[in-house]
Amino acid sequence: MIIGYTTGVYDMFHIGHLNLLKRAKEKCDYLIVGVSTDECCESYKHKRPVIPYEQRAAIVAAIKFVDEVVPQENMNKLAFLKQRHFDVMFHGDEWKGTELYNHYEEEFLKFGARIEYFSHTDGISSSLLRTIINK
């Protein structure tokens, strides 16, 4: 059984989010999705999500591709792997080749896990939606 893991804020849920979850589920048997808490989001994005954590988690949990939702309370992916084993983490390819994710790739191997990168859905993002709404 292949256990997959991915994370996100999933604010203003859109087709890009759905595409990511669908693609991830196609590559694993059991998909765990970490939804960033409001506090976690504020700590690294310096803004509060439009939709509160409890509602975002409920939306993600209702998606048929998702087997389990967990709160993402910090951005340390290695700490989560140590706490809860998974075989593959799915992530946006904008991080591929960065110092942080090269380090994660090396450390994950020690736990028998790997990272698979996906490209984003063109033309849609929560940031873009936020910009349109604020016009």
Side-chain angles (χ1 to χ4, degrees):
M1 178 186 213
I2 298 171
I3 299 171
Y5 176 63
T6 192
T7 64
V9 178
Y10 301 101
D11 199 16
M12 297 182 283
F13 197 90
H14 55 72
I15 193 67
H17 294 137
L18 187 62
N19 289 342
L20 170 80
L21 297 173
K22 182 177 189 267
R23 289 176 68 195
K25 182 61 178 183
E26 288 171 350
K27 296 186 171 274
C28 66
D29 301 302
Y30 188 86
L31 181 61
I32 302 168
V33 179
V35 176
S36 298
T37 63
D38 296 341
E39 297 77 17
C40 178
C41 185
E42 285 181 302
S43 75
Y44 76 95
K45 288 195 172 203
H46 309 291
K47 58 186 173 188
R48 193 157 192 87
V50 173
I51 309 298
Y53 167 77
E54 293 77 15
Q55 293 177 24
R56 291 182 286 113
I59 291 165
V60 172
I63 305 298
K64 70 180 180 179
F65 310 118
V66 176
D67 295 296
E68 183 180 351
V69 170
V70 296
Q72 177 179 232
E73 297 174 337
N74 64 64
M75 299 303 292
N76 189 332
K77 313 300 187 203
L78 185 57
F80 185 80
L81 175 60
K82 290 177 180 178
Q83 171 193 349
R84 181 88 188 268
H85 177 77
F86 54 83
D87 300 295
V88 58
M89 181 176 81
F90 304 103
H91 206 287
D93 63 1
E94 75 275 16
W95 288 94
K96 187 175 185 173
T98 65
E99 186 176 332
L100 176 62
Y101 276 76
N102 287 342
H103 173 72
Y104 278 152
E105 287 179 19
E106 290 175 19
E107 291 300 311
F108 279 23
L109 285 176
K110 296 175 185 176
F111 295 89
R114 64 184 175 82
I115 301 174
E116 185 161 337
Y117 298 95
F118 293 147
S119 57
H120 286 273
T121 301
D122 288 336
I124 189 70
S125 70
S126 295
S127 297
L128 176 61
L129 290 175
R130 192 183 284 255
T131 301
I132 291 168
I133 289 168
N134 288 329
K135 282 186 177 182

